[in-house]
């Protein structure tokens, strides 16, 4: 079995055009973004050790560290995918570059507001804070659009292996949905609207949590609320499907190498990827529904547990059926 190559390498790339980035060329903007974010991650980790100041219930360097790490993963993943594309390289290069520039803008705002000892998200307390948050919101929208273009290209380029093609396409599609779920956090909450109607200044518009203000008790490291709904959870689970779904496929390929005969078939692996992706999509839907009801991830009610149980059973039954068919074909 070959090294994980997602696309079929055609001998001639007619879509590149004269002067365009050649096949195998490194996507320098995304790579530079990843390197810069690595520096921020390291610096923020040091800051979390030596600086005990807090902002919204967390260490002041917590948010820069998390965002830098997430963007680093995004940049490395898309740089690798773009560099592998045999076609549409010019469109992909520019889309990746646009995403890199505006993600850098987002990180500048986050780090800058951290140095100012104030929040970056939802902050409209002053004209400067409002402008910074508006710039972030516009940057996020641009990055989503650039990612949409890149995802469309993945659906236009033939794959080297059908299972790998499905894994990458599912990952990109779910990641787009996960990114879009972030916009659910930008609307004013019922508490904020009620306070504004009572004459209180609206310094914050939007929130991560549903039912209580941001900054309450949360899970270690992740910070997800343990007392209310938290929209960061489906946002996170969705965005990183871009890495998770292909990893599922890689694990299936490794099991095939280890002698699991049913998994030697690309068709069997492809069907299992479909099962995993649909199951993960259901989990994202359930956690979104749970968060919007103001329910903490650690305190699911009966409806949430029932939905998760049905999803798990469905995934197990579907996977067993796929493996049964694969076993039959191997022994036939």
């Amino acid at each position: 079995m070959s090294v994980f190559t997602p696309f079929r390498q055609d001998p001639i790339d007619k879509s590149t055009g004269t002067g365009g980035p050649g096949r195998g060329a490194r996507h320098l903007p995304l790579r530079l973004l990843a390197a810069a974010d690595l520096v921020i991650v390291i610096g923020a980790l040091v800051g979390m050790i030596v600086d005990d100041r807090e902002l919204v219930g967390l260490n002041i360097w917590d948010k820069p560290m998390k965002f830098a790490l997430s963007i680093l993963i995004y940049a490395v993943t898309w740089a690798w995918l773009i560099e592998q594309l045999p076609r549409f390289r010019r469109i992909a290069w520019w889309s990746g570059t646009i995403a890199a520039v505006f993600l850098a803008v987002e990180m500048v705002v986050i780090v800058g507001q951290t140095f100012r000892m104030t929040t970056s998200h939802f902050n409209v307390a002053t004209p400067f804070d409002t402008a910074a948050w508006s710039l972030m919101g516009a940057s996020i929208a641009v990055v989503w659009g650039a990612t949409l273009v890149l995802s469309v290209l993945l659906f236009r380029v033939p794959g080297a292996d059908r299972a790998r093609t499905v894994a990458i396409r599912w990952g990109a599609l779910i990641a787009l949905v996960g990114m879009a779920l972030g916009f659910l956090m930008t609307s004013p909450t019922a508490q904020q609207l009620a306070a504004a109607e009572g004459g209180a200044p609206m310094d914050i518009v939007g929130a991560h949590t549903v039912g209580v203000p941001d900054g309450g008790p949360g899970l270690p490291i992740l910070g997800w609320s343990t007392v209310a709904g938290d929209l960061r959870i489906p946002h996170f689970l969705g965005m990183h499907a871009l890495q998770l779904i292909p990893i599922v496929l890689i694990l299936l390929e490794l099991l095939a190498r280890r002698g699991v005969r049913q998994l030697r078939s690309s068709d069997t692996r492809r069907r299992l990827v479909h099962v995993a992706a649909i199951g993960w999509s259901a989990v994202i839907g359930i956690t979104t529904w749970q968060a919007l009801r103001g329910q903490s991830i650690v305190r699911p009610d009966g409806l949430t547990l029932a939905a998760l149980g049905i999803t798990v059973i469905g995934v197990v039954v579907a996977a067993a059926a796929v493996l049964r068919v694969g076993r039959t074909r191997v022994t036939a």
Side-chain angles (χ1 to χ4, degrees):
M1 196 172 295
S2 63
V3 174
F4 194 89
T5 304
F7 308 112
R8 187 175 72 237
Q9 299 298 306
D10 299 327
I12 299 176
D13 181 4
K14 297 181 179 180
S15 68
T16 299
T18 304
R23 181 183 302 164
R26 298 294 180 255
H27 195 286
L28 188 59
L30 282 171
R31 286 174 172 259
L32 288 174
L33 176 66
D37 280 310
L38 179 59
V39 172
I40 294 173
V41 169
I42 295 171
L45 287 172
V46 173
M48 292 172 71
I49 295 172
V50 301
D51 188 350
D52 60 359
R53 290 177 298 168
E54 290 190 353
L55 190 63
V56 198
L58 294 171
N59 184 280
I60 192 172
W61 297 106
D62 181 84
K63 177 167 284 188
M65 188 275 292
K66 290 178 182 175
F67 271 79
L69 181 59
S70 181
I71 292 173
L72 187 157
I73 295 170
Y74 173 100
V76 169
T77 303
W78 275 113
W80 179 76
L81 286 170
I82 291 170
E83 291 161 6
Q84 298 289 318
L85 281 171
R87 300 171 56 203
F88 307 114
R89 292 190 58 84
R90 177 175 292 177
I91 299 173
W93 191 91
W94 278 109
S95 297
T97 300
I98 290 170
V101 168
F102 283 92
L103 284 170
V105 169
E106 182 180 4
M107 281 308 308
V108 167
V109 173
I110 292 172
V111 174
Q113 291 291 72
T114 299
F115 276 111
R116 293 183 66 236
M117 193 58 189
T118 189
T119 57
S120 51
H121 286 68
F122 321 126
N123 189 349
V124 294
T126 69
F128 181 86
D129 294 327
T130 301
W133 170 230
S134 298
L135 180 59
M136 277 189 66
S139 298
I140 293 167
V142 172
V143 171
W144 191 89
T147 307
L148 174 62
V149 172
L150 290 169
S151 300
V152 170
L153 296 182
L154 296 184
F155 278 81
R156 296 290 304 276
V157 177
D161 175 271
R162 293 177 67 188
R164 294 178 180 184
T165 300
V166 165
I168 290 172
R169 289 175 176 176
W170 263 117
L173 180 61
I174 299 173
L176 272 174
V177 174
M179 291 176 69
L181 289 174
F183 291 102
L184 292 174
M185 307 179 205
T186 61
S187 299
T189 66
Q191 296 89 341
Q192 290 165 357
L193 291 173
E197 290 176 358
M202 188 179 286
D203 294 338
I204 300 294
V205 177
H208 298 122
T209 54
V210 178
V212 300
D214 287 346
L219 293 174
I221 302 176
L222 295 170
W224 296 340
S225 177
T226 56
V227 296
D230 198 318
L231 290 165
R232 289 174 293 186
I233 298 170
H235 181 53
F236 174 88
L237 297 179
M239 284 195 307
H240 293 294
L242 182 62
Q243 293 81 35
L244 177 67
I245 304 301
I247 286 173
V248 169
L249 187 274
I250 291 172
L251 292 175
L252 293 175
E253 291 187 350
L254 290 175
L255 288 173
R257 290 186 183 185
R258 294 284 184 177
V260 181
R261 297 177 62 191
Q262 301 97 308
L263 297 179
R264 292 178 183 174
S265 166
S266 178
D267 282 340
T268 298
R269 297 195 298 272
R270 174 177 57 84
R271 293 188 181 98
L272 288 173
V273 167
H274 279 305
V275 171
I278 293 171
W280 194 247
S281 299
V283 170
I284 294 168
I286 292 167
T287 53
T288 303
W289 173 56
Q290 182 184 25
L292 290 173
R293 290 186 293 138
Q295 184 182 112
S296 169
I297 188 70
V298 299
R299 297 179 181 177
D301 62 10
L303 286 174
T304 302
L305 290 174
L308 286 172
I310 292 171
T311 298
V312 171
I313 292 171
V315 167
V316 170
V317 170
V322 169
L323 290 173
R324 186 180 301 111
V325 171
R327 185 183 301 111
T328 301
R329 291 181 175 178
V330 167
T331 56

